[in-house]
Amino acid sequence: MTEEIEFILDSTKESMIGSIAHLEKEFLNIRAGKASPAMLGSVFVDYYGSATPLSQVSKISVPDARTITLQPFEKNMLHPIEKAIMIANIGFNPMNNGDVIIISVPALTEERRRDLAKQAKVESEDAKVGIRNARKDANTEIKKLEKEGTSEDICKSAEEEVQNLTNSYIKKIDELLVHKESEIMKI
């Protein structure tokens, strides 16, 4: 294969890996019943005028399966952190005892579990769209090379390789979804 085709295949694979990584990150935000610091990953606090990730203004710990505690590095950050958690709209009601913020993670109802499973399915479909877009871009580049004089056989085998990559990453997304759904539905 030519150097250009190798480059196209490498960049396509990199793009598909990026889609998988994004999906895994999104799956971390979908809670499966037990407390985790990752649940607060999408919370940003107004820290002296700039939006700062919660993990950079407080120590996040999980003393048990149903509780998250936040110890701000600065005592005056208690109220801004509490406000940021409420604004993030992630379904938590933070309690402030003057030193730390305590979040009780409620048990999931059956209906909420189904909603979270649907949300996981939507995220996996978005990742599949990303994979398919990478395939489309790669095939477009391969067609350009074919018009510029690259052998038709080389281009056909490159397109087959792109399709094989697509199939393997779609399969990986399906496996991640099955695992996440079982994690969500487990009581």
Side-chain angles (χ1 to χ4, degrees):
M1 280 194 206
T2 66
E3 204 172 292
E4 293 98 352
I5 298 234
E6 287 295 328
F7 177 75
I8 291 169
L9 291 175
D10 286 345
S11 64
T12 301
K13 189 172 187 177
E14 199 173 297
S15 177
M16 290 180 177
I17 289 171
S19 290
I20 297 285
H22 179 75
L23 176 66
E24 289 171 336
K25 184 174 172 255
E26 290 300 316
F27 276 179
L28 284 177
N29 292 335
I30 299 174
R31 66 187 184 98
K34 60 183 182 188
S36 161
M39 295 172 155
L40 300 172
S42 62
V43 178
F44 285 84
V45 180
D46 180 28
Y47 185 67
Y48 297 108
S50 66
T52 308
L54 183 60
S55 60
Q56 292 181 13
V57 294
S58 69
K59 177 182 168 234
I60 303 171
S61 58
V62 183
D64 61 58
R66 294 267 177 243
T67 310
I68 301 173
T69 59
L70 302 156
Q71 175 77 48
F73 298 136
E74 298 176 27
K75 193 134 178 148
N76 64 337
M77 290 303 296
L78 278 170
H79 292 293
I81 289 173
E82 211 172 359
K83 184 178 172 189
I85 293 168
M86 297 297 271
I87 290 171
N89 197 21
I90 49 179
F92 294 140
N93 191 15
M95 294 176 289
N96 174 350
N97 72 2
D99 291 321
V100 294
I101 295 173
I102 302 165
I103 299 172
S104 292
V105 179
L108 295 174
T109 63
E110 184 67 29
E111 182 181 340
R112 182 71 178 135
R113 287 179 195 278
R114 277 195 231 103
D115 289 345
L116 290 173
K118 284 179 190 171
Q119 185 181 347
K121 193 168 186 74
V122 166
E123 292 297 340
S124 70
E125 286 303 319
D126 289 347
K128 286 180 182 180
V129 168
I131 299 286
R132 291 183 190 116
N133 284 339
R135 175 185 62 190
K136 186 183 98 191
D137 294 345
N139 286 339
T140 302
E141 292 296 317
I142 291 169
K143 294 270 191 244
K144 280 184 193 172
L145 288 177
E146 190 174 355
K147 286 180 183 173
E148 292 170 3
T150 305
S151 160
E152 189 178 326
D153 290 342
I154 290 174
C155 290
K156 286 291 176 203
S157 67
E159 285 176 353
E160 287 174 13
E161 182 63 30
V162 168
Q163 186 58 46
N164 290 339
L165 280 173
T166 303
N167 292 344
S168 69
Y169 283 103
I170 295 278
K171 184 178 178 199
K172 183 160 177 65
I173 288 171
D174 289 337
E175 290 167 359
L176 288 169
L177 176 62
V178 166
H179 177 73
K180 187 64 179 181
E181 282 180 332
S182 68
E183 188 181 304
I184 290 169
M185 297 312 279
K186 183 170 52 175
I187 297 175

